[in-house]
Amino acid sequence: MLESILIVDDIPENLSLLHESLDQAGYQVLVATNGFSAIEIAHRSQPDMILLDGSMPEMDGFESCIQLKASPVTAHIPVIFMTGLTETEYIVKGFQVGGVDYVTKPLNIDEVQARVKTHLLQARLMHQQKQMLDATGSAILSLNLKGEIIWQTPIVKELLQRYQVNIEQFQSVLRQWLQDLIQHPNHSSFMYGQYGQEQIQLNLLTKIDNNYSQRNVLIQLKEQSQMPSIEDIMQACSNLTPREAEVMHWVTMGKTNRDIAEILSLSPRTVNKHLEHVFEKLYVETRTAAVLHVMSACQNLTTA
């Protein structure tokens, strides 16, 4: 099935040039000459990508993108801005309203095609990833960098309903947690969070790179009752000592080194040394990777 691309531009010459080149590249090409018709066509035809002119009369590309991203029907469609406005403020604005990339005018067709190909591939991979996560039964959701939920696996809704979670409050907690993560991307104490008197564990699955190339992050929700016990960890990761398993138990519960030190009556430095040994034994480099390794090992143990 041909992938479809919607081109939105009020300049006929630009439309003609893009239409011909993308058509020859094997894409199905749709055309709109203003923001209003672009929104209507996007809802009706569901293109795989939108090339959107930033400067148009009546409704410019930035406002059009805001409208597209506000609709659940079109929010998932990647938008690449085409603009002659090369000042940083306009480029930043394009990302802020939901664009995934931009190309400057006059257009370089080879560059446009390369960026289209890259973002279509990313969109396909994300769609496949979502399908795989849906099939696993894991409670995983995707947030954009504003902390808004982009999509979620079916079990997320079930989990939140089970704990009678207020969705608005939950989203507010997610937004604040994500802002803390963005401001402190390398601070381990922000990698995990809790919600609802620590009934639900929030685990960050995506490393925060704090730049415009990253448009969303994955978060896993876990019931605290599902978190592995010390005995589970010792059985699943038999090369860990009892103390290392104990430390990892509290790490999976989202505790900081200082918290763990107080719980186990150790010094933070000793806790850090135990974690270094854990990293070596599990062949990982970060707390997040260690948690994912332990959780996966324990899950495999219960399903074996």
Side-chain angles (χ1 to χ4, degrees), residues 142-185:
S142 176
L143 304 179
N144 62 22
L145 296 187
K146 297 178 183 178
E148 299 166 336
I149 297 176
I150 304 302
W151 59 261
Q152 61 188 29
T153 57
I155 200 170
V156 169
K157 185 177 180 179
E158 297 174 13
L159 181 62
L160 298 182
Q161 287 179 339
R162 189 182 312 143
Y163 285 97
Q164 298 181 328
V165 171
N166 181 293
I167 300 301
E168 290 186 2
Q169 292 179 359
F170 180 65
Q171 291 181 326
S172 177
V173 169
L174 287 177
R175 283 193 294 271
Q176 183 57 57
W177 183 48
L178 185 59
Q179 289 308 307
D180 290 338
L181 285 167
I182 292 173
Q183 293 173 18
H184 308 278

Side-chain angles (χ1 to χ4, degrees), residues 243 247 256-274:
R243 179 62 89 183
V247 168
T256 66
N257 284 12
R258 186 173 295 279
D259 292 335
I260 298 171
E262 293 178 358
I263 293 169
L264 301 180
S265 299
L266 301 172
S267 70
R269 184 174 181 179
T270 301
V271 172
N272 188 60
K273 184 60 67 174
H274 282 307

Side-chain angles (χ1 to χ4, degrees), residues 58-297:
E58 297 185 45
M59 180 188 290
D60 66 17
F62 302 112
E63 179 60 30
S64 301
C65 191
I66 291 173
Q67 298 290 337
L68 289 165
K69 294 302 174 182
S71 169
V73 178
T74 56
H76 67 283
I77 303 173
V79 174
I80 296 179
F81 276 98
M82 305 179 294
T83 178
L85 306 172
T86 57
E87 291 85 353
T88 300
E89 63 179 296
Y90 294 108
I91 295 172
V92 170
K93 186 176 181 181
F95 286 116
Q96 288 176 335
V97 298
V100 297
D101 208 343
Y102 73 95
V103 290
T104 56
K105 295 180 178 180
L107 298 174
N108 180 311
I109 294 301
D110 289 338
E111 179 186 359
V112 172
Q113 291 191 357
R115 292 179 185 268
V116 164
K117 184 176 180 180
T118 296
H119 289 290
L120 282 175
L121 175 60
Q122 290 179 347
R124 284 198 301 271
L125 291 175
M126 184 173 178
H127 179 67
Q128 293 170 0
Q129 182 185 54
K130 180 181 182 300
Q131 289 182 317
M132 290 174 62
L133 290 173
D134 284 348
T136 64
S138 299
I140 296 176
L141 51 83
S142 176
L143 304 179
N144 62 22
L145 296 187
K146 297 178 183 178
E148 299 166 336
I149 297 176
I150 304 302
W151 59 261
Q152 61 188 29
T153 57
I155 200 170
V156 169
K157 185 177 180 179
E158 297 174 13
L159 181 62
L160 298 182
Q161 287 179 339
R162 189 182 312 143
Y163 285 97
Q164 298 181 328
V165 171
N166 181 293
I167 300 301
E168 290 186 2
Q169 292 179 359
F170 180 65
Q171 291 181 326
S172 177
V173 169
L174 287 177
R175 283 193 294 271
Q176 183 57 57
W177 183 48
L178 185 59
Q179 289 308 307
D180 290 338
L181 285 167
I182 292 173
Q183 293 173 18
H184 308 278
N186 299 313
H187 202 302
S188 59
S189 65
F190 291 102
M191 295 297 180
Y192 315 97
Q194 283 84 32
Y195 181 82
Q197 298 180 338
E198 302 193 354
Q199 291 175 317
I200 299 176
Q201 172 90 25
L202 309 175
N203 295 328
L204 177 69
L205 300 183
T206 308
K207 180 177 174 60
I208 301 289
D209 63 16
N210 213 10
N211 62 51
Y212 289 124
S213 67
Q214 181 178 20
R215 303 308 302 163
N216 55 74
V217 296
L218 294 180
I219 308 297
Q220 182 180 39
L221 307 186
K222 280 278 189 178
E223 295 179 82
Q224 291 288 41
S225 60
Q226 295 178 340
M227 304 306 286
S229 65
I230 298 169
E231 292 74 18
D232 292 336
I233 295 173
M234 289 183 62
Q235 188 176 358
C237 305
S238 57
N239 57 340
L240 299 185
T241 67
R243 179 62 89 183
E244 290 165 354
E246 197 172 15
V247 168
M248 275 309 302
H249 165 72
W250 291 110
V251 170
T252 62
M253 297 293 284
K255 302 300 182 183
T256 66
N257 284 12
R258 186 173 295 279
D259 292 335
I260 298 171
E262 293 178 358
I263 293 169
L264 301 180
S265 299
L266 301 172
S267 70
R269 184 174 181 179
T270 301
V271 172
N272 188 60
K273 184 60 67 174
H274 282 307
L275 281 176
E276 289 179 2
H277 293 158
V278 169
F279 292 172
E280 292 175 2
K281 292 179 179 180
L282 300 184
Y283 301 101
V284 299
E285 297 180 355
T286 66
R287 290 169 67 100
T288 302
V291 169
L292 293 176
H293 181 101
V294 167
M295 298 290 288
S296 176

